[in-house]
Amino acid sequence: MVRVSTGGLLTLAGLAGLIHTTVAVIQYRKLLKLSQEEFEALPATILLELCISTIVALLGAYILAGPIKVIVMPAKGRNMDIGSLRTDFVSFNMRSRAMPLDIPPLQPH
């Protein structure tokens, strides 16, 4: 027997709602083409279904993921940033190379 958690059920329900919303939008656009009306906005019912389905899917995924774990760095050893530091590739390009060295100072008026 397959056991499905609450988070899994909520995620599946949210995804099913999103698929249903997609089908509803496609049908609405086809209806507008048949009646030769211009698309301005989606009906409020479709937008509400979209919002509810998205929230249910996100809540299910959050529950399914489990508790958030804290990242603990080791007390000794190398830092993660130092491992990728390659000083031989560091170069500085500035505009000062293109500027002439004998610039006269600004004179106050």
Side-chain angles (χ1 to χ4, degrees), residues 10-66:
L10 285 174
T11 304
L12 286 175
L15 290 176
L18 288 172
I19 290 170
H20 182 267
T21 305
T22 304
V23 171
V25 169
I26 292 170
Q27 288 177 349
Y28 178 71
R29 296 293 298 255
K30 285 182 181 178
L31 178 68
L32 287 178
K33 284 183 182 179
L34 288 175
S35 62
Q36 296 179 350
E37 294 179 26
E38 201 169 311
F39 177 77
E40 293 177 9
L42 289 174
T45 55
I46 294 178
L47 290 176
L48 183 65
E49 182 181 350
L50 174 66
C51 292
I52 291 173
S53 299
T54 302
I55 290 170
V56 168
L58 287 175
L59 180 65
Y62 179 75
I63 293 172
L64 195 61

Side-chain angles (χ1 to χ4, degrees), residues 36-105:
Q36 296 179 350
E37 294 179 26
E38 201 169 311
F39 177 77
E40 293 177 9
L42 289 174
T45 55
I46 294 178
L47 290 176
L48 183 65
E49 182 181 350
L50 174 66
C51 292
I52 291 173
S53 299
T54 302
I55 290 170
V56 168
L58 287 175
L59 180 65
Y62 179 75
I63 293 172
L64 195 61
I68 298 174
K69 297 177 184 171
V70 179
I71 298 175
V72 179
M73 295 295 296
K76 59 181 180 176
R78 293 172 52 152
N79 192 351
M80 288 173 50
D81 295 333
I82 293 181
S84 64
L85 181 63
R86 296 182 180 102
T87 55
D88 50 337
F89 288 113
V90 176
S91 65
F92 298 99
N93 293 325
M94 296 180 278
R95 294 182 185 175
S96 64
R97 291 183 185 175
M99 294 177 67
L101 295 176
D102 55 344
I103 298 175

